[in-house]
Amino acid sequence: MEIKFTLNGEQVTIIDEPTRRLLDVLRDNLGLTGAKEGCGEGECGSCAVLMDGRLVNSCMVPAFTVEDRDILTIEGFRDQERFKAISRGFEKAGSVQCGFCTPGFVMAAEALLRQNPHPTEEEIIAAIEGNLCRCTGYSMIVEGIMIASREGDGLW
Amino acid sequence: MLNISDSVKRNDFDDKIEGRALYAGDLRDRDMLYARIYRSQRQRARIREIRLPRLPEGYEVLDYHNIPGINRVPIVYDDQPFLAEGEVNYIGEPILLVLGRDRDVINGIMSEITIEYEDLEAINTIEESILKPYVYCFADDNSKIEYSFTRGDPDLHIDRAEKVFQDRFHTGYQEHAYLEPHSFTCEVVDDNIVVHGSMQCPYYVVEGIKRAFGWDESRIRVIQQPTGGGFGGKEDYPSIPAILCALGAIMTGKPVQLVYDREEDIISTTKRHPSDIRIKSYLDANNSIIAMDIDVRLDGGAYAGLSSVVLQRTIFSATGVYNIENLKVRGGAYATNKVVSSAFRGFGGPQALFAIEMHMENIALALDMDPLEFKREHFLRDGDLSSTQGEFRNRIKLDEIAEMVDKDSGYSLKRGSTGKEGETLRGIGLSIFDHGCGFTGAGEADLLKSKVRLMKYADGTVEIFVSSAEIGQGVQTTLGKIVSQELGIPLERVVHNYPDTRYCPDSGPTVASRTVLIVGRLLQECAMEMKKRWDEEEVEIIKVYRYPHDLAWDNETFMGNAYPEYSWGANVVEIHIDPATYKVEVDGIWTVYDIGTPIDMKIVQGQIEGGLVQGFGYGLMEEFDCINGSPRQKSLTTYVIPSSRDFPKPSIRLFENPRRKGPFGASGLGELPIVGVAPAIASAVQNALGKKVCRIPVTPEYIRELMEDGN
Ligand code: FES
Ligand code: FES
């Protein structure tokens, strides 16, 4: 089946099985490997992308459902000003270790800050609950998002 | 010049946050084939017949006959095949490799393969293993590895004892749950095999390929890709997927990618050893421990893996931070028909420290003494020897560490007012612990002989060549800092890429909290020499580790310096138990560590916070078990690891105590934060309930059991 959608601001068309996972479409058909497969069952958030501005686990999204939708991945987001603010926050807080979970956390941070530019610590903790990280213990990621929201004030 | 402890930006930061870092499963090639492993569904069986479906063109199924060399994973013992040879010993053991272009077609082939098995009697528990040492291969004894050692004159002191206390503890499995499952991409280029993978020890993989294919090392190139976490799970295990992926590439002549899915990763890869530990303490009339008798049993799983070395660390750590002059220790690792137990951050330490810390607390409580006070009276002090009678080469600061954690947390004050508060149960617990850094015994000198290489180029940049893997712990940054600091050049001029065995000598595996301590020190020595020759246009310096003359080790009697260096720490954990759900909620975490000089505060903080949370998972929530060898937990939905909601931010304090032999005074860190977490939690739960906690994880079911048990 032919599926058309907006990917990182550009129109794309792919031809594939309707039930193929968005994660595979991104990684295999389109060569965007920033979204990772940590579990393949919606549990870890390493594959997270934004669909119409909402955080989704791309391993749980069948390709046909993205028709006419707007998908943003780390590859599209990394050129934006907001990304730079998140990146600076993560750098200051030491939020990155092995990095496998990182693009997913960045997308989760962006989804949160779009909704709520000044989240409390509890709100950040709740917003990243669907993203697993085995390296950091989370506090340093929470702090990274906090710094991004503070120092990137006005961007969201 | 900056202070070595000041944080810098990690050299891998931008690539990772921008999603540019290429993990082994991100590599793409037009001709690439995918591989999947067909695994045993039986716990212990003979393979009678394998029936394959008709294979579409371009698809292949390989078995052990396709391995031209030695079909044995090179670790400590030669007991584990890469692909099963007519017999399987655990559910998930690799039997066949299926290769082809399309993953769906591969999955179709997998579902049509049938194997006729002849089931054999299987061993499920340590007890069964001891009772029925059936003939199948484990280590060189078929069913077990056993060690023992003594110190002083335990029998004499046991006879003289006035009081005896004994406990028995059980600890469960732990799965590493690194976020990136095992991943490799291999290809044959100009008659050489090039392996790209997720791993801690590139030279283990080189060794595996040499063996499996009989190839000369000059034809083998192993490159570590960015690695999504290891924690010991990518120490020895990657040799299996690496060699199978290489087998695919060699047989087909095409690039091959082998990436585990989460379920097969959980079912079939190594775990932390479950343990059964008995401790008996003998006290004199003054309530001093005059002798101890310790018996350690580990569940080794189907093959020996690193069980022998894990067992050594468990028994050497069995007396914790206490000076026990008369000591008997026995330990065994026993074969069972279950997934292989092997390396996991802490490497036997977490089991040993859980047992000794709880035991010390139990004695204190039975004597009506304050546990901290009782522990303090038995602390190792300057001049004391380790359990294996090795001298400590640096000042021991346990008193100071204990005092600091007590003050920070208010432990002693709070301890008096815990217990029932309305319906809620409140508790506070403490643990004090150490971790030996570096390979066990003389392993650094005898087995590893670490080699490092430092190059200065004409343009004034310097490049580090070591086999130490960046697995998230920040080693490229910390080693770079050590070199730049010693040379007095900016960090930006020090290049450090992922290890590639074509250029990087074997500086040993990335394990045992040894990288900064051993490899870092060697690089520092290279830098010292380079500094003297800085005027030369190009300089190459190579150094090999030499066993320090002030250390000694006897591997027969287990006497001497079991580890070249030690790090120390203490935890206090405050909790309450929800009376409706029996769930433990952690309200506060206070920690103090002596890791010598911290090399980078942010990296140190990251290691500590991550290790703590992994330790909380181990102590409270992570459950893995098997029914007839079949894992009950097969996903991250059922094997639950901590999320952002589970634990509060810890208070962390470092006690600076520079080491004479570490680079810039540093000691080891990676494992220390995990080893003492479980006993602090268990002690807090015990304090809240007024009941002995004898096993971890302390799940709600276990708490309920304890609360409903009248005594
Ligand atoms: S890979 Fe999609 S949630 Fe884990
Ligand atoms: S940084 Fe490794 S899983 Fe998050």
Side-chain angles (χ1 to χ4, degrees):
Chain A
M1 139 181 207
E2 192 178 278
I3 304 160
K4 284 198 184 65
F5 61 103
T6 309
L7 174 65
N8 298 330
E10 283 174 31
Q11 268 305 120
V12 292
T13 306
I14 58 140
I15 298 166
D16 210 324
E17 300 290 311
T19 55
R20 199 152 155 80
R21 307 179 305 171
L22 173 59
L23 178 62
D24 297 326
V25 169
L26 293 172
R27 291 177 56 84
D28 297 342
N29 305 34
L30 300 161
L32 301 182
T33 56
K36 310 291 179 200
E37 178 162 352
C39 69
E41 49 170 20
E43 200 60 48
C44 75
S46 328
C47 63
V49 300
L50 299 194
M51 177 149 92
D52 293 342
R54 270 189 30 254
L55 190 69
V56 293
N57 287 327
S58 63
C59 71
M60 301 301 280
V61 175
F64 74 91
T65 63
V66 306
E67 176 79 26
D68 291 336
R69 306 283 197 129
D70 184 21
I71 303 291
L72 180 66
T73 72
I74 191 73
E75 288 86 353
F77 184 50
R78 69 188 172 206
D79 298 323
Q80 300 184 13
E81 274 311 302
R82 291 165 170 182
F83 169 81
K84 287 178 189 135
I86 293 173
S87 174
R88 270 195 304 275
F90 275 37
E91 184 192 326
K92 282 193 179 164
S95 319
V96 175
Q97 291 192 29
C98 82
F100 199 77
C101 69
T102 307
F105 273 97
V106 170
M107 299 318 287
E110 164 67 5
L112 166 68
L113 295 172
R114 278 190 190 192
Q115 297 279 312
N116 178 358
H118 302 287
T120 62
E121 198 176 291
E122 287 67 45
E123 286 167 340
I124 297 175
I125 288 173
I128 60 170
E129 195 186 5
N131 292 71
L132 293 177
C133 174
R134 190 59 153 170
C135 300
T136 63
Y138 304 103
S139 293
M140 295 168 88
I141 298 178
V142 173
E143 197 193 331
I145 299 173
M146 200 55 132
I147 297 174
S149 115
R150 210 169 42 231
E151 297 189 358
D153 194 19
L155 289 173
W156 285 279
Chain B
M1 185 92 295
L2 90 172
N3 179 323
I4 192 86
S5 303
D6 291 348
S7 298
V8 300
K9 182 175 178 178
R10 294 173 63 113
N11 78 337
D12 54 350
F13 181 84
D14 287 335
D15 271 359
K16 285 178 174 173
I17 198 160
E18 289 171 5
R20 292 182 206 272
L22 293 176
Y23 298 78
D26 296 336
L27 301 175
R28 294 284 178 273
D29 187 291
R30 244 171 2 113
D31 295 331
M32 192 172 84
L33 304 182
Y34 291 99
R36 266 185 83 83
I37 297 172
Y38 186 90
R39 299 171 181 284
S40 165
Q41 288 117 353
R42 298 302 173 89
Q43 198 180 1
R44 182 167 178 244
R46 221 161 269 142
I47 296 173
R48 280 280 191 71
E49 199 191 334
I50 299 177
R51 278 189 292 273
L52 302 179
R54 261 180 59 99
L55 299 177
E57 203 188 313
Y59 289 80
E60 282 194 52
V61 177
L62 307 178
D63 70 9
Y64 74 94
H65 292 104
N66 298 106
I67 296 177
I70 303 166
N71 180 27
R72 284 288 180 280
V73 181
I75 309 184
V76 181
Y77 299 98
D78 289 341
D79 60 355
Q80 182 171 16
F82 293 110
L83 288 174
E85 286 177 16
E87 192 181 294
V88 287
N89 280 308
Y90 68 96
I91 291 172
E93 180 162 0
I95 301 174
L96 303 169
L97 188 71
V98 185
L99 294 149
R101 275 199 79 80
D102 185 291
R103 279 176 288 189
D104 292 334
V105 177
I106 292 176
N107 288 338
I109 295 170
M110 300 268 289
S111 67
E112 284 175 49
I113 293 173
T114 52
I115 293 192
E116 201 182 298
Y117 296 98
E118 177 192 338
D119 285 315
L120 303 169
E121 187 185 15
I123 302 291
N124 283 295
T125 61
I126 294 173
E127 286 75 17
E128 279 176 28
S129 184
I130 293 171
L131 281 175
K132 308 174 185 176
Y134 288 128
V135 180
Y136 70 91
C137 188
F138 179 88
D140 9 281
D141 170 273
N142 279 327
S143 72
K144 65 181 188 296
I145 298 160
E146 286 179 328
Y147 299 126
S148 65
F149 68 96
T150 58
R151 177 184 172 190
D153 191 342
D155 291 331
L156 179 79
H157 288 83
I158 286 170
D159 281 345
R160 285 189 188 155
E162 299 274 332
K163 297 168 195 165
V164 185
F165 295 92
Q166 56 180 320
D167 283 304
R168 182 172 180 188
F169 301 100
H170 289 90
T171 66
Y173 279 108
Q174 187 176 22
E175 156 59 29
H176 307 84
Y178 29 67
L179 260 277
E180 179 207 24
H182 285 279
S183 308
F184 278 89
T185 303
C186 295
E187 105 187 271
V188 176
V189 183
D190 300 333
D191 235 19
N192 295 328
I193 180 78
V194 183
V195 177
H196 298 268
S198 177
M199 66 188 109
Q200 295 175 222
C201 313
Y203 275 94
Y204 286 13
V205 173
V206 170
E207 204 48 44
I209 291 177
K210 266 164 60 181
R211 276 220 168 172
F213 304 104
W215 284 22
D216 188 77
E217 194 162 332
S218 60
R219 293 173 64 201
I220 305 166
R221 181 171 177 193
V222 177
I223 302 167
Q224 186 224 351
Q225 294 299 126
T227 293
F231 317 113
K234 292 175 186 168
E235 177 177 355
D236 51 319
Y237 188 82
S239 299
I240 295 175
I243 274 62
L244 296 184
C245 188
L247 174 67
I250 290 170
M251 293 297 293
T252 61
K254 300 234 167 78
V256 170
Q257 185 165 90
L258 174 59
V259 174
Y260 282 21
D261 66 31
R262 182 56 63 180
E263 179 173 326
E264 69 177 327
D265 201 296
I266 293 182
I267 288 177
S268 67
T269 69
T270 52
K271 306 275 175 283
R272 190 188 298 292
H273 290 78
S275 75
D276 174 357
I277 301 179
R278 287 169 239 226
I279 311 185
K280 237 180 187 180
S281 283
Y282 299 85
L283 279 67
D284 65 13
N286 301 323
N287 293 335
S288 274
I289 300 175
I290 52 171
M292 257 191 206
D293 186 342
I294 302 176
D295 184 86
V296 172
R297 294 173 188 193
L298 302 180
D299 186 335
Y303 297 105
L306 287 162
S307 279
S308 52
V309 202
V310 171
L311 176 62
Q312 288 175 13
R313 194 181 270 276
T314 318
I315 59 177
F316 301 156
S317 312
T319 52
V321 294
Y322 308 106
N323 182 35
I324 308 299
E325 290 182 350
N326 302 289
L327 179 63
K328 262 196 220 188
V329 186
R330 283 173 312 283
Y334 299 93
T336 57
N337 293 104
K338 292 184 292 190
V339 63
V340 177
S341 304
S342 198
F344 195 138
R345 190 182 203 169
F347 211 76
Q351 295 94 321
L353 283 153
F354 169 66
I356 185 68
E357 282 300 281
M358 297 311 288
H359 177 65
M360 291 297 281
E361 168 157 325
N362 291 345
I363 300 176
L365 296 176
L367 295 171
D368 222 3
M369 279 180 76
D370 171 48
L372 178 54
E373 204 37 54
F374 181 72
K375 287 178 178 182
R376 216 193 293 266
E377 280 173 17
H378 292 87
F379 275 170
L380 286 162
R381 296 214 155 68
D382 290 333
D384 289 343
L385 300 178
S386 72
S387 64
T388 56
Q389 303 177 61
E391 279 176 22
F392 292 95
R393 302 199 293 169
N394 290 280
R395 305 295 301 272
I396 299 174
K397 299 287 184 184
L398 286 169
D399 282 312
E400 290 87 339
I401 292 168
E403 195 185 316
M404 220 183 221
V405 86
D406 189 16
K407 243 194 8 245
D408 284 359
S409 62
Y411 168 83
S412 295
L413 295 172
K414 291 176 183 166
R415 181 91 179 178
S417 56
T418 47
K420 239 184 158 92
E421 188 184 298
E423 280 305 296
T424 305
L425 293 159
R426 296 194 175 279
I428 191 163
L430 167 142
S431 67
I432 304 180
F433 48 89
D434 65 341
H435 191 76
C437 307
F439 251 46
T440 305
E444 288 291 343
D446 297 348
L447 302 174
L448 300 185
K449 304 181 178 64
S450 288
K451 195 185 214 182
V452 307
R453 174 168 164 238
L454 194 65
M455 282 290 298
K456 176 193 175 241
Y457 302 111
D459 65 356
T461 56
V462 169
E463 185 163 1
I464 293 173
F465 294 95
V466 294
S467 63
S468 309
E470 172 63 69
I471 51 174
Q473 85 285 42
V475 67
Q476 293 190 354
T477 305
T478 47
L479 294 181
K481 281 180 81 174
I482 290 169
V483 168
S484 81
Q485 182 87 352
E486 189 58 50
L487 287 170
I489 61 171
L491 185 55
E492 300 72 56
R493 292 202 3 230
V494 180
V495 180
H496 187 169
N497 289 311
Y498 285 86
D500 173 340
T501 59
R502 170 152 305 170
Y503 306 106
C504 300
D506 185 358
S507 25
T510 312
V511 303
S513 307
R514 63 180 290 279
T515 303
V516 162
L517 184 72
I518 306 283
V519 180
R521 176 69 198 184
L522 281 171
L523 282 170
Q524 187 183 19
E525 288 169 8
C526 290
M528 288 171 180
E529 205 172 308
M530 184 172 280
K531 202 153 69 180
K532 292 188 200 135
R533 296 173 50 190
W534 192 254
D535 293 339
E536 295 172 36
E537 200 168 80
E538 284 211 349
V539 185
E540 177 181 40
I541 302 195
I542 292 172
K543 288 220 177 276
V544 180
Y545 180 83
R546 280 208 322 264
Y547 198 58
H549 54 80
D550 57 344
L551 293 178
W553 178 250
D554 182 332
N555 213 29
E556 294 301 308
T557 57
F558 289 157
M559 266 186 37
N561 302 91
Y563 301 99
E565 190 52 83
Y566 290 82
S567 291
W568 311 83
N571 298 327
V572 168
V573 176
E574 196 175 352
I575 60 132
H576 71 270
I577 298 172
D578 183 323
T581 61
Y582 303 99
K583 192 170 177 267
V584 174
E585 301 290 348
V586 176
D587 301 314
I589 307 164
W590 294 266
T591 66
V592 178
Y593 302 94
D594 167 8
I595 54 160
T597 308
I599 291 298
D600 183 286
M601 282 309 295
K602 271 270 133 33
I603 286 176
V604 165
Q605 185 191 348
Q607 284 298 293
I608 291 175
E609 294 195 3
L612 279 168
V613 170
Q614 210 170 43
F616 276 102
Y618 179 54
L620 277 180
M621 50 198 285
E622 294 179 27
E623 263 191 302
F624 179 89
D625 46 27
C626 300
I627 296 174
N628 294 329
S630 177
R632 283 210 305 139
Q633 296 77 8
K634 299 181 180 177
S635 67
L636 292 176
T637 314
T638 47
Y639 186 79
V640 183
I641 64 169
S643 79
S644 58
R645 276 203 195 267
D646 290 313
F647 303 107
K649 186 171 177 60
S651 143
I652 299 169
R653 281 238 266 161
L654 300 182
F655 185 89
E656 278 224 35
N657 179 20
R659 301 297 196 271
R660 286 187 296 118
K661 298 286 166 72
F664 296 99
S667 180
L669 165 64
E671 297 166 284
L672 183 72
I674 205 174
V675 300
V677 183
I681 299 166
S683 141
V685 171
Q686 179 155 299
N687 179 239
L689 295 178
K691 299 258 171 68
K692 272 194 189 183
V693 170
C694 299
R695 64 171 203 253
I696 49 169
V698 191
T699 58
E701 295 73 46
Y702 180 35
I703 290 183
R704 179 173 173 181
E705 201 180 292
L706 288 171
M707 286 175 74
E708 287 176 353
D709 167 19
N711 317 310

